[in-house]
Amino acid sequence: MSTETTGFNWEYAPAPEAIDHAKIKKQYELFINGEFVKPLSKKYFETINPATEQVLSKVAEANEKDVHAAMIAAKNAYDKYWKKLSGADRAKYIYRIARVIQERSRELAVIESLNGGKAIRESRDFDIPTAANHFFYYAGWADKLAYAFPNKKIESVGVAAQIIPWNFPLLMAAWKIAPALATGNTVVLKPAESTPLTALKLAELIQDCDLPPGVVNIITGFGAAGAAMVNHPLANKIAFTGSTDVGKIIQKAVAGTGKKITLELGGKAANIVFEDAPINQAVEGIVNGIFFNQGHVCCAGSRLFIQESVSEEVIQKLKARMQTLIVGNPLDKNTDIGAINSKEQLEKINSYLKIGVNEGLEIYQPDNCNLPKQGFYCKPTLFIGAAQSNRVVQEEIFGPVLTIQTFRTIEEVIEKANNIPYGLSAGVWTDKGSKIFNLTTKLRAGVVWANTYNKFDPTSPFGGYKESGFGREGGLHGLAPYVNLS
Amino acid sequence: MNFKTSPVIDQVGIEERVARFNTRSIKKQSKVSALKLALNMIDLTTLEGKDTEGKIIQMCHKAVQPGEGIADLPTVAAVCVYPTYVALAKKTLGTSGVKVASVATAFPSGNSTREIKLLDTKLAVDNGADEIDMVISRGEFLKGNYNFVFDEISAIKDACGKARLKVILETGELSTLDNVRRASDIAIAAGADFIKTSTGKIQPAATMPVTLVMLEAIKDHYLKTAQMVGMKPAGGISTAKAALQYLVMVKETLGAQWLSNEWFRFGASSLANDIILQLGKEQKGVYYSKDYISID
């Protein structure tokens, strides 16, 4: 829309969320056997605020010996306490965790935004409440497993080694820990090295909840610690969310060991807009699909397919909508797009921006978008006129970058949507119900959203096809990877 | 024109977008300036059977000087009255710049003949109304007689002469957002200068989802023709906070061009006093009793 104006140039004043109530320690140890213990490695690493590049805290770096200690603690807790508790008693602890997360939600939201760069609007309204909901939901299952798996003998697996990514640090911890505890397993969890703080805060909350020592262990470190967890003989179950490359390595490592495994990996979702769609709402869904959490979402709707007859209208409206997105300080309540999670990730995104331009695609970034001088930021970006053969279409960018392709027929768009190594999610926009059901059966994706995008609920299973991984998290399906049935 | 093919609306999507507007946090100077703007966009309204000359005169004074003891208050945009009080309002407002809007066309039900509606409009215009707030024939609309509604609006538009025409859809009787969108398209195509949600006599009156659908109709028209159409939510907006949320919605849907009383109005009676209370709080630093603000 034109900015020449006879109207009123109304700018929103800064509305920063207060951060003084959020307590971040100068140094964090490893949470093993219910206590914070110094790492045997004697090493620490710094964790920063990606919006300012300032150091927030120092965090212990677990080595193989530390991983071993955590595994032993989890195994002992499993044998000594957790395995023996009734489902109802396990539920009491899990409900307690859920309630404490709710009580401390404001502090957790601020720390999540400080450490990960995501807008406070999202950590406050999405990440933290959804994390609490996962604990509530799985607490409810703990004493009802016989109804989840009727006519089966249900046994817990033992020790779950869980490795989570940096895009939704606390929420991913909840996705992993809640079903594992509900089904009677104990846990060793490693948050990503760039965003350890909310997981460590969760460790403090778990301590407050008086969980038996060793039932949940949270250790921080790099890839080597993750590898040690995966390869440890006491690990009965591996749950990994992260990149496809690492997922492949993990799957090779556990081959033949008898360890159960679930992988939730990358994605490159098709978001498909038909000419009979509610166009203005579809534009909103496109924005929500790709710019939510700076595009650091494995199920982000990063490939937009628009039916030819409405492509001009959709692109025009999408550009206009992007002009109203506020990019900047994650702690401002009005910020829509916060900081990119790390320098490394920003460099990766920028390299893809170059690749797209070199591939001859038309690039669009809102001209009124001024990025802060300090910190890691990226403008929301469109690549218009893309084709299946473009690298920016084929490869996961994991940033606020959307490729746009057009299509004529439903057969064409199904073929193109499926023509990708990934298969995590997809979106369909049409007013016609029959079209939705037709597509949901033909799109090779674990989740298909219709006339909405990026909706998550603890009751709904989530997971991928093909190189997006296997196994489901959430819902009744999310219990299965954590039990042995006979 | 075929109004059966108006764009479809997804209600869930509309409600989610509205929820997101409402998370905007408006503080400090941006709050003060927007509150003044909102006050300046109000159509101060009285449309009651018991209206008297005295009440109209008092309301006109309030329109010119909304609050005492608070610096830099603008006037409201207009007063909105029945046709019989237009001349009095016009005389009382004098050269203040505050406009006089008159409801017409068998307000609020619209159940009368074309002839009567045209005469009603002519009465208001002849009495000096700057703006005409007409109602559409909801019965005919819901029957599917879209061309009847279109023809009626264009006939009234012709009768308005220089007066600007606001077309009231009475969204509380249209029942779906798809209908709201279709009625908006009809009104805009028939020459409405403003589209307006409600008479204030039917509940629900203005809501943010309904207003967003109408703003989108205005936007789509503007993208096609570069012609601006105004918007007036009316009824049910009584707090300063709600007014700010509407302004956020206008700014982020249509842009800064629409942020003036030329293109956006609030039809409200009690909103003005809540805005004055909030502006007074910003200036004095404390809340004070509503007893200090005149009620007419």
Side-chain angles (χ1 to χ4, degrees), chain B residues 117-278:
Chain B
K117 290 184 188 183
L118 286 169
L119 280 172
D120 198 16
T121 307
K122 189 169 180 304
L123 170 69
V125 173
D126 288 350
N127 283 344
D130 303 296
E131 299 165 359
I132 299 295
D133 291 27
M134 72 169 284
V135 291
I136 66 166
S137 298
R138 282 88 74 188
E140 295 300 324
F141 177 88
L142 291 169
K143 273 192 243 168
N145 288 343
Y146 303 136
N147 287 336
F148 178 97
V149 178
F150 177 92
D151 291 344
E152 188 173 73
I153 297 168
S154 12
I156 302 293
K157 169 74 182 170
D158 285 343
C160 282
K162 278 190 197 150
R164 292 178 90 197
L165 175 64
K166 307 195 195 100
V167 178
I168 303 173
L169 310 181
E170 195 63 306
T171 53
E173 290 187 342
L174 298 185
S175 79
T176 67
L177 293 180
D178 284 320
N179 275 344
V180 170
R181 171 66 198 230
R182 185 176 288 134
S184 304
D185 287 347
I186 293 171
I188 291 169
D193 296 299
F194 269 83
I195 50 177
K196 174 175 167 184
T197 59
S198 323
T199 60
K201 306 293 183 192
I202 295 282
Q203 289 301 326
T207 65
M208 286 188 73
V210 155
T211 306
L212 178 56
V213 171
M214 295 168 73
L215 292 174
E216 284 177 354
I218 291 169
K219 179 176 77 175
D220 288 345
H221 179 71
Y222 180 74
L223 289 176
K224 278 192 200 111
T225 65
Q227 299 290 314
M228 290 170 79
V229 173
M231 172 70 207
K232 177 177 172 185
I237 305 163
S238 57
T239 65
K241 187 175 177 189
L244 291 179
Q245 290 171 335
Y246 273 84
L247 291 183
V248 166
M249 181 160 69
V250 174
K251 169 183 153 71
E252 296 195 19
T253 308
L254 294 176
Q257 279 170 285
W258 265 264
L259 290 179
S260 90
N261 66 13
E262 196 61 16
W263 301 109
F264 192 80
R265 298 281 177 85
F266 292 105
S269 42
S270 54
L271 173 62
N273 274 0
D274 196 52
I275 291 177
I276 291 161
L277 187 72
Q278 301 300 330

Side-chain angles (χ1 to χ4, degrees), chain A residues 1-16 121-122 124-125 276-281 284 287-288 313 316-317 320-321 324-326 332-337 429 431 451-452 455, chain B residues 7-14 16-17 20 23-31 33-34 37 178 181 212 216-217 219-220 222-223 228 244 247-249 251-260 263:
Chain A
M1 205 138 303
S2 115
T3 47
E4 38 93 22
T5 172
T6 53
F8 173 65
N9 205 1
W10 184 29
E11 301 287 343
Y12 304 144
R121 182 180 62 79
E122 289 177 6
R124 178 196 66 200
D125 297 346
D276 58 3
I279 298 294
N280 288 309
Q281 285 80 63
E284 210 45 45
V287 167
N288 188 36
E313 181 187 357
Q316 183 187 20
K317 286 181 170 174
R321 175 68 175 96
T324 66
L325 289 171
I326 300 172
D332 192 303
K333 290 172 211 161
N334 289 328
T335 293
D336 295 308
I337 300 181
W429 296 84
D431 204 36
N451 293 330
T452 188
K455 283 280 170 299
Chain B
V8 292
I9 305 295
D10 186 79
Q11 184 175 347
V12 175
I14 288 284
E16 282 181 359
R17 182 72 182 113
R20 188 147 169 194
T23 65
R24 290 285 191 227
S25 178
I26 307 300
K27 305 255 185 223
K28 304 197 171 88
Q29 189 50 42
S30 66
K31 180 176 173 182
S33 57
L37 179 68
D178 284 320
R181 171 66 198 230
L212 178 56
E216 284 177 354
K219 179 176 77 175
D220 288 345
Y222 180 74
L223 289 176
M228 290 170 79
L244 291 179
L247 291 183
V248 166
M249 181 160 69
K251 169 183 153 71
E252 296 195 19
T253 308
L254 294 176
Q257 279 170 285
W258 265 264
L259 290 179
S260 90
W263 301 109

Side-chain angles (χ1 to χ4, degrees), chain A residues 88-337:
Chain A
D89 283 335
R90 290 198 303 273
K92 275 197 283 189
Y93 287 109
I94 306 170
Y95 276 126
R96 212 180 277 170
I97 297 172
R99 285 196 298 270
V100 173
I101 289 176
Q102 282 187 321
E103 281 165 19
R104 303 280 286 275
S105 58
R106 198 163 154 234
E107 183 181 12
L108 287 166
V110 167
I111 296 175
E112 199 74 303
S113 284
L114 279 171
N115 198 195
K118 67 172 68 198
I120 187 76
R121 182 180 62 79
E122 289 177 6
S123 45
R124 178 196 66 200
D125 297 346
F126 175 74
D127 288 65
I128 311 304
T130 318
N133 284 347
H134 266 269
F135 281 104
F136 276 120
Y137 174 76
Y138 279 109
W141 271 121
D143 61 348
K144 303 174 192 72
L145 296 175
Y147 299 93
F149 307 103
N151 303 316
K152 298 277 187 190
K153 183 166 174 251
I154 305 153
E155 284 177 308
S156 51
V157 174
V159 175
Q162 305 177 322
I163 301 166
I164 57 171
W166 44 259
N167 56 345
F168 295 95
L170 186 73
L171 181 59
M172 288 301 111
W175 278 31
K176 295 280 184 281
I177 295 173
L181 296 187
T183 45
N185 305 283
T186 56
V187 165
V188 177
L189 176 111
K190 185 185 94 63
E193 59 268 22
S194 64
T195 55
L197 291 183
T198 44
L200 290 163
K201 205 74 196 171
L202 179 65
E204 290 178 6
L205 301 186
I206 284 172
Q207 225 176 9
D208 294 346
C209 289
D210 231 357
L211 243 69
V215 171
V216 175
N217 304 278
I218 295 176
I219 57 172
T220 44
F222 294 86
M229 288 166 67
V230 169
N231 293 320
H232 199 279
L234 288 177
N236 303 106
K237 147 87 188 156
I238 312 296
F240 172 77
T241 298
S243 72
T244 297
D245 291 344
V246 176
K248 285 178 179 173
I249 296 169
I250 291 176
Q251 198 175 2
K252 279 182 197 149
V254 302
T257 61
K259 292 173 187 173
K260 285 172 85 92
I261 177 171
T262 47
L263 300 174
E264 203 268 86
L265 309 174
K268 191 78 182 175
N271 202 1
I272 304 167
V273 179
F274 286 96
E275 62 183 3
D276 58 3
I279 298 294
N280 288 309
Q281 285 80 63
V283 167
E284 210 45 45
I286 296 163
V287 167
N288 188 36
I290 185 62
F291 302 129
F292 176 56
N293 199 30
Q294 295 75 248
H296 302 329
V297 188
C298 41
C299 53
S302 49
R303 291 184 296 149
L304 176 63
F305 290 93
I306 316 174
Q307 199 157 22
E308 212 175 8
S309 53
V310 290
S311 77
E312 235 173 83
E313 181 187 357
V314 171
I315 292 169
Q316 183 187 20
K317 286 181 170 174
L318 185 57
K319 285 178 176 173
R321 175 68 175 96
M322 284 165 73
Q323 302 245 356
T324 66
L325 289 171
I326 300 172
V327 186
N329 179 8
L331 285 157
D332 192 303
K333 290 172 211 161
N334 289 328
T335 293
D336 295 308
I337 300 181

Side-chain angles (χ1 to χ4, degrees), chain A residues 54 66 69-70 82-83 99 103 178 184 192 258 260 277 352 361 470 474:
Chain A
Q54 277 161 352
D66 295 304
W82 205 243
K83 179 163 81 167
R99 285 196 298 270
E103 281 165 19
K260 285 172 85 92
Y352 274 108
L361 301 179
F470 48 80

